[in-house]
Amino acid sequence: EDGRGGFAQQQHSIEILEPVIREAELTGLRWQRITPTEGTHDGVMAFGIGPDGAIYSHNQLHAFKRSRDEGETWDTILENVQCCGQVYVGDVGQIFIASPDGLYYTQDDGDNWSLWSPDDFIAAALAPDGRTLLAATKQQVRRYDLTGALLDSVNVRGEVKDLAVCVHGDVSA
């Protein structure tokens, strides 16, 4: 009853349906080589895909390459950087390489690179706010601003194997 003496009643019914789970047919899926064979220890050990569709690969020959045409052609955009830690691609043109040779950054799609630290890095991930990078060595997780300035670091007991940043900003190492 409302304050004017009126009365209303409604009845609703809902039906909760079990979700339909379909099995996917994956036998037709396969990897296809899109990079030419190079040397005797060929292989892409780390890669990333940019928001514009550019593909980035870091190979065992210590070359970091980019393709803007779905792998038809490749440009070497950084050489003599030991493979392999992790490649992290942020916004268009923003690339981070965590390598045994150091932590590298470019904001212009590989035309110019900065070495933020020469330490042995195994992983990197951009924080959800897009303003800080988390990078891990085997014994430490570090936080950098996008100028390469070290903001802080945390020593880790044991050994860091991987690094992930959750949507809510939590860090897992």
Side-chain angles (χ1 to χ4, degrees):
E1 188 173 325
D2 67 14
R4 297 171 291 170
F7 182 82
Q9 182 177 357
Q10 292 182 355
Q11 184 173 350
H12 298 278
S13 64
I14 61 169
E15 182 180 358
I16 299 175
L17 301 174
E18 288 291 323
V20 176
I21 299 174
R22 293 184 225 160
E23 285 192 32
E25 175 56 51
L26 302 177
T27 57
L29 296 179
R30 62 184 175 85
W31 284 96
Q32 178 181 346
R33 175 180 282 281
I34 59 173
T35 59
T37 301
E38 298 176 287
T40 58
H41 299 289
D42 185 44
V44 171
M45 301 303 292
F47 73 95
I49 300 174
D52 59 350
I55 305 169
Y56 303 93
S57 72
H58 197 179
N59 66 27
Q60 290 184 350
L61 300 174
H62 310 310
F64 189 72
K65 297 185 175 195
R66 170 189 62 217
S67 176
R68 292 183 174 142
D69 56 11
E70 298 180 349
E72 290 295 318
T73 59
W74 291 87
D75 299 312
T76 299
I77 57 175
L78 188 61
E79 293 183 284
N80 300 318
V81 174
Q82 186 177 345
C83 185
C84 278
Q86 188 175 24
V87 173
Y88 186 89
V89 181
D91 290 333
V92 173
Q94 187 181 51
I95 308 161
F96 304 89
I97 301 174
S99 160
D101 283 344
L103 183 62
Y104 291 83
Y105 171 70
T106 181
Q107 61 184 0
D108 58 12
D109 204 31
D111 291 335
N112 299 286
W113 289 90
S114 298
L115 175 62
W116 284 1
S117 171
D119 294 336
D120 181 352
F121 285 87
I122 60 167
L126 196 62
D129 66 7
R131 296 189 313 238
T132 55
L133 179 81
L134 297 162
T137 66
K138 289 181 180 180
Q139 302 297 317
Q140 203 173 54
V141 176
R142 301 177 189 174
R143 192 167 60 103
Y144 292 87
D145 70 12
L146 295 187
T147 68
L150 178 63
L151 299 174
D152 51 27
S153 62
V154 176
N155 291 326
V156 178
R157 273 190 256 173
E159 187 173 307
V160 177
K161 300 287 186 186
D162 197 5
L163 180 71
V165 177
C166 302
V167 175
H168 300 291
D170 298 355
V171 180
S172 300

